[in-house]
Amino acid sequence: MNADNVVEAKGCLNRNSGGRSSKPRLYRCVLVGLSTCFIVWTVLEALFIQHRVSTVDRIPPTPPRQFERIFIASTHWNNAVIQLAKKWGPENIFVSIFESGSWDDSKGALRDLDLVLDRLGVRRNLTLSEIAHQDEISRPPSEGWIDTPRGRKELRRIPYLARLRNLTLRPLEDLARNGIVFDKVLFLNDVVFTVDDVISLLNTNDGVYAAACSLNFSKPPRYYDTFALRDSNGDETLMQEWPYFRSATSRDALLAMSPAPVKSCWNGMVSMPVAPFLSKTPLQFRAIPDSLAQLHVEGSECCLIHADNPLSPTKGIYLNPRVRVGYNDLAYAAVHPHTAWISLHNIALALWENRIRRWTTSVFFKKRIIRRRITSWERYPGTRSEPAAFCLINEMQVLVGNGWAHV
């Protein structure tokens, strides 16, 4: 160290060396030192995480030695279903699709799909319904209808969706009665995916899970399915961009690119063991009771299914960050770049945004609102408890002629 550096160091350490001017100099030196440590720590942390993310992401999924038999349940479809059928073999696949009230040429596309699957020898059940949303909301009110703040009875969205999902599962019991059984149910939304994505999803946690989910994107880098995803503590995600979670357990697994333990997920593509759907009391999609929804509370059928699944407490539910699907080709390409799918800059900013949000926000008040409404509802004569409080949010959702709406 030269003489000038020694003098400067002494000037920072010796408070009396410069008289009255020593204190500002000391504060400046401390600030520079802390800033330097902060920058170095942030850069090294971001570099380490990006290296780990990139390394894990480049490892190709290991094809199974023996293909599990998959029952594909969907209310949509895309061409990847055909590729999956070719890869898995027609004897290992059953495709069940229920289409209802589409405005585009989905019915024509599904008829084309039916012809292709027939040529491949794939067993299937494709149901094309002419009933549209407008037909549903034009019927006389019955179960699933509630009084809304708009001064009229309206049809809830979630019971409608739960019914459609259950219709896709109906062939499962018929096949089982005929001795045709499957290992997993693969639920698909209308997403872009590849066969490798399916292999990675099925391999989640070495194939041991109550449910394994992908990450889905419509407008990257923000993930899409906020309604159903809950971290290991049952909390909604802290932010829509990586690393998403408030829970340390879920977040740490995500940072390691490992399957993240969660309490609920859906996110475009989901694999679940078939056994609960064929039990003595079959697992089904459902909505919360109308009387509870009347209190301006709602929960996704895709979250409630995990709360009801008897395998959830023992086998766990996992979000697999290696499986990223998109609602269009551009979204899929954006989360599957040739380089790391999260840039160094985005990692550094997102880590600190997540920390600041955790330090400055709380879920206490949101949870209290929901808890008070559930408690009030449970006092009604003849009501029962709702075991999936973590799924519920302060919303009311109803069907309208061209889709659905918040009320």
Side-chain angles (χ1 to χ4, degrees), residues 4-292:
D4 291 338
N5 287 340
V6 172
V7 170
E8 183 62 29
K10 286 183 177 180
C12 285
L13 295 174
N14 187 350
R15 298 180 62 180
N16 298 318
S17 63
R20 292 183 179 180
S21 64
S22 63
K23 282 189 177 181
R25 180 181 294 176
L26 177 63
Y27 294 153
R28 188 164 54 252
C29 291
V30 170
L31 182 60
V32 169
L34 289 175
S35 299
T36 302
C37 290
F38 171 81
I39 292 170
V40 170
W41 177 33
T42 299
V43 170
L44 290 177
E45 183 183 34
L47 283 169
F48 174 73
I49 290 174
Q50 189 187 53
H51 173 73
R52 186 163 53 185
V53 167
S54 302
T55 301
V56 173
D57 228 20
R58 283 196 295 266
I59 301 172
T62 304
R65 293 181 181 178
Q66 182 176 355
F67 289 106
E68 292 184 292
R69 305 187 79 187
I70 301 176
F71 182 96
I72 299 175
S74 178
T75 52
H76 307 276
W77 81 281
N78 60 47
N79 287 325
V81 171
I82 296 172
Q83 301 305 316
L84 184 61
K86 289 179 178 178
K87 178 75 173 183
W88 239 253
E91 71 280 4
N92 294 318
I93 291 284
F94 186 96
V95 177
S96 177
I97 298 177
F98 187 94
E99 188 280 334
S100 176
S102 62
W103 290 16
D104 54 15
D105 190 34
S106 291
K107 286 181 172 59
L110 283 170
R111 291 186 183 98
D112 293 339
L113 174 66
D114 187 49
L115 292 174
V116 175
L117 294 178
D118 184 59
R119 285 198 297 269
L120 293 173
V122 175
R123 290 167 296 188
R124 64 210 177 275
N125 181 73
L126 275 60
T127 302
L128 309 181
S129 172
E130 297 296 334
I131 299 174
H133 280 193
Q134 190 60 49
D135 300 316
E136 295 281 357
I137 63 178
S138 299
R139 292 176 175 176
S142 58
E143 186 177 356
W145 292 70
I146 56 174
D147 296 313
T148 69
R150 299 197 280 201
R152 58 179 184 265
K153 278 191 174 295
E154 297 188 70
L155 180 60
R156 293 173 57 204
R157 173 185 179 233
I158 301 303
Y160 169 77
L161 292 178
R163 180 169 59 83
L164 293 187
R165 293 193 185 278
N166 287 331
L167 286 172
T168 66
L169 291 172
R170 185 173 291 174
L172 200 57
E173 292 186 14
D174 297 332
L175 291 165
R177 280 192 289 268
N178 291 314
I180 303 171
V181 295
F182 297 85
D183 300 296
K184 297 280 173 46
V185 180
L186 182 67
F187 294 100
L188 296 175
N189 285 4
D190 191 17
V191 293
V192 178
F193 66 93
T194 66
V195 173
D196 279 351
D197 291 326
V198 175
I199 293 173
S200 292
L201 189 68
L202 294 174
N203 286 346
T204 301
N205 198 44
D206 294 326
V208 180
Y209 49 77
C213 308
S214 64
L215 267 171
N216 61 340
F217 298 87
S218 176
K219 297 178 180 179
R222 298 165 68 86
Y223 89 94
Y224 181 78
D225 202 353
T226 59
F227 196 15
L229 184 57
R230 299 291 184 272
D231 67 22
S232 61
N233 293 332
D235 294 331
E236 295 178 77
T237 50
L238 195 63
M239 49 200 287
Q240 274 188 265
E241 296 185 18
W242 181 97
Y244 316 116
F245 298 117
R246 181 183 295 272
S247 156
T249 300
S250 300
R251 192 176 61 254
D252 289 348
L254 189 74
L255 297 182
M257 284 294 283
S258 299
V262 293
K263 207 162 184 178
S264 167
C265 58
W266 202 255
N267 305 92
M269 185 162 65
V270 186
S271 173
M272 298 177 69
V274 76
F277 298 99
L278 295 175
S279 64
K280 189 174 181 180
T281 306
L283 180 65
Q284 290 189 321
F285 290 92
R286 69 173 176 92
I288 61 171
D290 294 339
S291 55
L292 179 55

